[in-house]
C-alpha cells in the first residue's frame, strides 16, 4: 500500500478535472457516480492503508518526484504517513464520501450539478495534500488549494450578490492569516535551511532553547495562519457568512475538514511549539475566549445554519484550548468526534432545508419530530454529542480536554471553569435548536421526506457520533506523553454534570416553559445584550468601520488620482495619432506614391537647409 499512497489524493483530483472538462456532456447520474466514486475509492484505499499501519505501526515516507531544486533547497511532492495523518485522512475521505453521497440528492435539481462535484472533488484532493505533505511548502500548496475551493463553493450560487460577498469575505479574511503563515515559513527556512517537517522539528530542538524569541515569533506567525483557517478570534467573522454555500459544503468544509486545518498545523508542528510556551498559552487563551464568544452568539441566532456555524467556531476553540495546554491527543480526538457529530448536524439541517421549501428560520419550523423521524433522531444524537452528554463521542473527547486543562499550572483552573461555562452554553443552545425545530406546533409542512441517499449518510454518522468516543486514535508515538496526576474526582464529576444541567435548563426554558425568561429578554438590558450577541458581539460592525469603509473611501479617492491625468493624456494622444494614421490608409496606390514623393522632397529640403555636411553624410 505504501507504493500507491499517492493514488489517494489523485483519485478525487482526476474526478474533478474530468468533471470540469466533460461535465456538460455527461448525464446527471454519471456525474454523481463519478463525483462520489472518486472519493469512495480514496476512502477504501485509506482503510486498507489503515489496516496495514495498525498491524506494523510503521511510518511511511514516499517521494513521488522532486518538485523543484534551488541550490540545496529541493522540496518534493512527497508524503508522510503516521498516526496523525491516518486520523486526518480517515475523516476527510470517510466523512467526505458520506457528504458526497448526501449531495447527490440535495443538489439533484441544481443546473450546475457537474460544477458542484468538480469543486467538491478538488477540495478533497487539496485537503488530502495538506495533511499528507511531508514538507511545509507542499502543505502550504494544499492550504491555499482548500482556500480557493472554499471561495468557489461558498459563492457557488453566484447569481445572488450576497453569496459573492460572503465568498470574497471568506477569501480575504483567511488570506490575512495565510500571509502571516507564509512569513512564518520564510522565517523558519532562513534560520533552519529546510521546510521538511520532520527535519525542521529536529533542527529546531538542536538550534534553539526553550523560550527563545525566534521560535516564539515563528509559532505566533503560524498561529495567525491557523486562526484564519480555523475561524478563531479575531479572524472568525468569515465562517457564519460562509453558510451562504450549499449545506453539504458547510458539512464538509466548514465543520469536518477545512476549519480543522489550523488545528492540524499546530499539532503537526508541536515540536516547534514546545520550544515556545508563551505561544501555547496564546493558543489556549484564543481557544477558550473564542469558545465562549461563539457559544453566547449561538444562543441568539435564528438561522439553523448560523447556529451550527457559531457552534463550529466554539468547538474548534476547545481544540485550540487542548493544543495550548499540551493535550495534543485530546485535541485531535475532539477533531475526529467533532467531524462525526457536526457533519451529522449540518447534513440534518440540510435535510430540513431541502424538505421545508428552503426555510432557514427555526421559529418557522416546529413539530418535525413525527414528520421527519430520521432527521429528528439525527439531531437528537448529534446534539447530545455536541453537548457532551455522557457516553456520546463528544463526551469522551471534551472531558479529556477539560481534565487536562485543569492540570495546567496557574492558568489551569481558570481555563477549566471557562471551558465548563462553554459546555453549559453548548448544551443550552444545542437543545434549544432541537426543542424549537422538532417539538411544538408545525409552522411549515415538509413537502417531501429524506430518500436513501440522505438517510444512509445520516444513519452512519449517527452511529459514529454515538460510538466514536470508544475509538482509540493511533497518535501515541506522534505526541509526547503528557505528565501530571489525575485531578480530584469532584473535578470529573463537575465536568460530567454541567452538560446535563444545560440540557435541563433548555428543557424548562424552551419546551416545558416552566422557566419564563420573557421578563429578562424584554427588559432594556436584556434587549441590548441580546442584540449584542445576535450581532456576534459587534465585531463585524467594528471591522466594517475600522477597515472596510476606510478602504472603500481610499479606493474612491485614488480612482481620481491626479497622476492618472498624465497617463490618460498619453493614452488619448496615442489614440488620436492612431486615428490619423488609420485615415491615411486608403488603399489607393496613387495616394501612397504622392505621399512617398512628398516625404522625399521634404526630407531633401530639410537636409539642404542644414548644410552640405548632412547631404554628404
Amino acid at each position: 500500500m505504501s507504493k500507491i499512497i499517492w493514488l489517494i489524493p489523485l483519485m478525487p483530483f482526476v474526478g474533478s478535472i474530468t468533471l470540469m472538462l466533460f461535465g456538460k456532456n455527461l448525464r446527471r447520474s454519471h456525474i454523481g457516480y463519478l463525483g462520489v466514486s472518486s472519493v469512495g475509492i480514496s476512502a477504501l484505499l485509506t482503510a486498507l492503508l489503515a489496516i496495514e499501519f495498525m498491524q506494523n505501526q510503521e511510518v511511511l515516507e514516499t517521494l513521488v518526484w522532486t518538485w523543484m531544486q534551488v541550490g540545496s533547497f529541493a522540496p518534493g511532492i512527497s508524503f508522510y504517513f503516521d498516526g496523525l495523518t491516518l486520523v486526518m485522512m480517515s475523516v476527510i475521505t470517510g466523512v467526505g464520501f458520506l457528504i458526497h453521497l448526501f449531495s447527490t440528492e440535495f443538489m439533484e435539481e441544481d443546473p450546475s450539478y457537474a460544477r458542484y462535484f468538480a469543486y467538491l472533488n478538488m477540495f478533497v484532493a487539496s485537503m488530502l495534500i495538506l495533511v499528507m505533505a511531508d514538507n511545509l511548502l507542499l502543505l502550504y500548496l494544499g492550504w491555499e488549494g482548500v482556500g480557493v475551493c472554499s471561495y468557489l463553493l461558498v459563492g457557488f450560487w453566484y447569481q445572488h450578490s450576497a453569496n459573492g460577498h460572503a465568498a470574497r469575505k471568506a477569501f480575504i479574511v483567511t488570506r490575512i492569516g495565510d500571509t502571516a503563515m507564509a512569513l512564518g515559513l520564510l522565517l523558519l527556512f532562513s534560520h533552519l535551511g529546510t521546510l521538511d517537517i520532520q527535519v525542521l522539528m529536529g533542527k529546531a530542538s538542536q538550534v534553539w532553547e526553550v523560550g527563545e524569541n525566534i521560535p516564539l515569533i515563528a509559532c505566533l506567525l503560524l498561529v495567525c495562519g491557523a486562526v484564519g483557517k480555523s475561524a478563531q478570534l479575531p479572524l472568525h467573522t468569515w465562517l457564519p457568512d460562509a453558510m451562504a454555500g450549499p449545506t453539504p459544503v458547510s458539512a464538509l468544509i466548514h465543520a469536518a475538514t477545512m476549519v480543522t486545518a489550523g488545528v492540524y498545523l499546530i499539532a503537526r508542528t508541536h515540536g516547534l511549539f514546545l520550544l515556545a510556551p508563551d505561544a501555547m498559552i496564546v493558543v489556549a487563551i484564543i481557544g477558550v475566549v473564542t469558545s465562549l464568544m461563539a457559544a453566547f452568539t449561538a444562543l441568539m441566532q435564528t438561522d439553523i445554519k448560523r447556529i451550527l456555524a457559531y457552534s463550529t467556531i466554539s468547538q474548534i476553540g476547545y481544540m485550540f484550548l487542548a493544543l495550548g495546554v499540551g493535550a495534543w491527543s485530546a485535541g485531535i480526538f475532539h477533531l475526529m468526534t467533532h467531524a462525526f457529530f457536526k457533519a451529522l448536524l449540518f447534513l440534518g439541517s440540510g435535510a430540513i432545508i431541502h424538505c421545508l421549501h428552503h426555510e432557514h428560520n427555526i421559529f418557522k419550523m416546529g413539530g418535525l419530530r413525527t414528520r421527519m423521524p430520521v432527521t429528528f433522531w439525527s439531531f437528537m444524537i448529534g446534539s447530545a454529542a455536541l453537548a457532551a452528554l455522557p457516553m456520546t463521542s463528544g463526551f469522551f473527547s471534551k472531558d479529556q480536554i477539560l481534565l487536562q486543562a485543569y492540570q495546567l499550572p496557574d492558568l489551569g483552573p481558570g481555563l477549566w471553569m471557562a471551558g465548563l461555562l462553554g459546555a453549559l452554553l453548548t448544551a443550552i443552545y444545542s437543545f434549544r435548536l432541537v426543542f424549537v425545530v422538532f417539538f411544538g406546533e408545525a409552522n411549515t409542512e415538509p413537502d417531501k421526506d429524506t430518500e436513501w441517499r440522505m438517510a444512509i449518510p445520516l444513519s452512519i454518522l449517527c452511529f459514529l457520533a454515538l460510538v466514536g468516543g470508544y475509538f482509540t486514535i493511533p497518535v501515541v508515538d506522534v505526541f509526547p506523553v503528557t505528565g501530571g496526576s489525575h485531578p480530584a474526582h469532584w473535578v470529573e464529576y463537575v465536568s460530567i454534570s454541567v452538560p446535563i444541567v444545560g440540557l435541563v435548563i433548555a428543557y424548562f426554558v424552551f419546551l416545558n416553559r416552566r422557566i419564563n425568561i420573557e421578563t429578562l429578554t424584554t427588559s432594556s438590558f436584556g434587549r441590548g445584550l441580546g442584540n449584542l450577541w445576535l450581532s456576534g458581539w459587534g465585531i463585524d460592525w467594528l471591522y466594517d468601520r475600522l477597515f472596510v469603509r476606510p478602504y472603500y473611501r481610499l479606493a474612491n479617492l485614488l480612482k481620481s488620482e491626479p497622476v492618472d491625468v498624465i497617463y490618460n493624456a498619453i493614452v488619448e494622444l496615442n489614440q488620436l495619432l492612431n486615428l490619423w494614421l488609420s485615415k491615411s490608409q486608403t488603399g489607393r496606390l496613387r495616394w501612397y506614391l504622392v505621399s512617398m514623393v512628398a516625404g522625399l522632397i521634404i526630407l531633401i529640403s530639410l537636409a539642404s537647409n542644414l548644410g552640405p555636411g548632412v547631404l554628404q553624410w
Side-chain angles (χ1 to χ4, degrees):
M1 283 301 299
S2 60
K3 295 181 179 179
I4 61 172
I5 188 174
W6 53 273
L7 284 175
I8 296 176
L10 181 65
M11 294 308 299
F13 179 77
V14 171
S16 175
I17 297 299
T18 303
L19 289 170
M20 288 180 186
L21 295 177
F22 308 109
K24 290 185 178 180
N25 302 320
L26 295 176
R27 293 181 180 178
R28 193 163 286 257
S29 59
H30 293 166
I31 292 170
Y33 290 143
L34 181 58
V36 174
S37 63
S38 62
V39 180
I41 293 172
S42 293
L44 178 61
L45 293 175
T46 300
L48 295 175
L49 194 61
I51 294 172
E52 180 182 316
F53 178 80
M54 298 302 288
Q55 289 174 349
N56 53 35
Q57 297 291 317
E58 181 182 354
V59 174
L60 304 177
E61 297 183 62
T62 303
L63 174 64
V64 181
W65 74 81
T66 299
W67 185 2
M68 65 181 77
Q69 186 157 4
V70 182
S72 60
F73 180 58
I77 304 296
S78 49
F79 304 123
Y80 183 86
F81 184 88
D82 62 359
L84 177 58
T85 314
L86 173 59
V87 173
M88 297 301 298
M89 289 173 63
S90 300
V91 168
I92 295 165
T93 59
V95 176
F97 170 74
L98 296 175
I99 292 171
H100 274 70
L101 178 60
F102 184 96
S103 297
T104 57
E105 181 181 340
F106 187 88
M107 300 294 291
E108 190 171 32
E109 298 177 1
D110 196 281
S112 299
Y113 198 60
R115 180 167 62 91
Y116 172 81
F117 278 104
Y119 291 167
L120 214 60
N121 277 189
M122 183 62 73
F123 170 81
V124 171
S126 299
M127 192 69 198
L128 285 169
I129 291 291
L130 190 159
V131 302
M132 294 170 65
D134 81 333
N135 64 80
L136 290 172
L137 188 61
L138 184 60
L139 183 150
Y140 194 71
L141 175 67
W143 188 275
E144 291 301 303
V146 297
V148 171
C149 292
S150 174
Y151 166 78
L152 294 172
L153 286 164
V154 170
F156 180 78
W157 290 314
Y158 58 86
Q159 298 86 349
H160 304 287
S161 60
N163 296 343
H165 181 271
R168 291 193 299 274
K169 182 178 181 180
F171 191 77
I172 292 170
V173 172
T174 54
R175 288 295 75 71
I176 296 170
D178 295 353
T179 303
M181 178 181 169
L183 293 175
L185 300 188
L186 292 173
L187 179 64
L188 290 171
F189 180 75
S190 64
H191 282 80
L192 301 177
T194 182
L195 289 177
D196 184 283
I197 297 174
Q198 305 308 315
V199 176
L200 188 144
M201 294 300 106
K203 282 191 174 182
S205 61
Q206 295 173 4
V207 174
W208 294 319
E209 298 290 336
V210 175
E212 286 193 27
N213 289 331
I214 297 299
L216 174 61
I217 296 171
C219 286
L220 291 177
L221 289 171
L222 294 181
V223 168
C224 289
V227 161
K229 197 68 75 180
S230 293
Q232 298 292 283
L233 277 171
L235 301 178
H236 68 287
T237 56
W238 64 270
L239 184 57
D241 290 348
M243 298 300 105
T247 305
V249 170
S250 303
L252 179 63
I253 297 183
H254 306 126
T257 54
M258 190 190 88
V259 290
T260 61
V263 178
Y264 170 78
L265 174 67
I266 296 175
R268 176 57 77 193
T269 57
H270 67 275
L272 187 63
F273 278 83
L274 290 173
L275 298 173
D278 291 343
M280 292 182 63
I281 292 175
V282 169
V283 170
I285 293 174
I286 288 174
V288 75
V289 172
T290 303
S291 180
L292 288 175
M293 179 279 302
F296 278 111
T297 305
L299 276 174
M300 299 302 299
Q301 301 301 309
T302 58
D303 185 307
I304 188 170
K305 288 180 66 176
R306 288 182 73 88
I307 294 172
L308 297 178
Y310 279 107
S311 170
T312 297
I313 297 172
S314 181
Q315 294 306 303
I316 296 173
Y318 276 102
M319 300 175 206
F320 268 64
L321 172 62
L323 300 177
V325 300
W328 311 102
S329 298
I332 298 301
F333 191 29
H334 194 57
L335 183 155
M336 181 188 71
T337 59
H338 175 263
F340 297 153
F341 62 72
K342 189 53 65 64
L344 173 61
L345 289 169
F346 264 114
L347 292 185
S349 71
I352 293 172
I353 293 168
H354 183 69
C355 298
L356 260 67
H357 323 288
H358 302 284
E359 181 59 64
H360 285 240
N361 191 328
I362 62 173
F363 292 103
K364 294 182 180 179
M365 299 176 185
L368 296 180
R369 177 169 51 90
T370 56
R371 293 165 175 81
M372 301 180 68
V374 174
T375 308
F376 166 67
W377 285 109
S378 299
F379 254 87
M380 283 295 291
I381 294 171
S383 297
L386 172 60
L389 294 184
M391 311 318 292
T392 62
S393 61
F395 163 75
F396 290 98
S397 56
K398 191 180 290 186
D399 192 55
Q400 285 186 23
I401 294 172
L402 292 176
L403 293 181
Q404 291 192 244
Y406 182 83
Q407 298 176 69
L408 187 72
D410 300 328
L411 290 177
L415 294 174
W416 175 72
M417 287 189 288
L420 285 180
L421 177 58
L424 177 68
L425 296 172
T426 301
I428 295 173
Y429 71 68
S430 298
F431 283 95
R432 165 185 180 258
L433 178 59
V434 170
F435 294 145
V436 171
V437 171
F438 293 99
F439 292 83
E441 296 182 0
N443 296 311
T444 304
E445 288 290 340
D447 59 357
K448 63 187 85 171
D449 201 356
T450 53
E451 297 181 9
W452 68 270
R453 288 172 293 172
M454 285 186 173
I456 288 178
L458 290 173
S459 301
I460 294 174
L461 288 170
C462 281
F463 174 76
L464 292 174
L466 283 173
V467 306
Y470 297 95
F471 295 169
T472 300
I473 57 174
V475 295
V476 176
D477 297 329
V478 178
F479 302 118
V481 178
T482 54
S485 58
H486 195 280
H489 289 297
W490 69 268
V491 175
E492 189 165 0
Y493 295 151
V494 171
S495 299
I496 295 172
S497 303
V498 165
I500 300 174
V501 172
L503 167 60
V504 172
I505 292 174
Y507 173 79
F508 283 115
V509 173
F510 300 107
L511 185 61
N512 185 271
R513 306 288 182 180
R514 291 282 183 87
I515 300 177
N516 189 352
I517 59 172
E518 186 176 352
T519 304
L520 176 62
T521 57
T522 55
S523 66
S524 57
F525 175 76
R527 285 198 305 270
L529 192 60
N531 290 333
L532 177 65
W533 292 349
L534 181 64
S535 68
W537 297 80
I539 296 176
D540 269 317
W541 178 89
L542 179 64
Y543 287 175
D544 183 62
R545 280 151 181 79
L546 286 179
F547 304 112
V548 179
R549 293 189 181 184
Y551 174 81
Y552 278 121
R553 283 197 290 267
L554 181 62
N556 290 328
L557 179 64
L558 294 179
K559 187 167 64 176
S560 58
E561 191 176 7
V563 72
D564 286 341
V565 175
I566 300 173
Y567 297 113
N568 291 336
I570 295 174
V571 172
E572 291 175 1
L573 177 61
N574 281 279
Q575 289 176 339
L576 181 61
L577 292 174
N578 178 71
L579 178 63
W580 290 347
L581 289 173
S582 63
K583 286 184 177 180
S584 69
Q585 304 301 309
T586 62
R588 297 178 180 178
L589 186 58
R590 294 179 186 177
W591 169 251
Y592 293 159
L593 290 173
V594 170
S595 300
M596 292 171 63
V597 172
L600 183 61
I601 293 172
I602 293 172
L603 181 61
I604 294 174
S605 299
L606 290 174
S608 62
N609 290 332
L610 292 175
V614 175
L615 288 174
Q616 186 178 2
W617 177 82

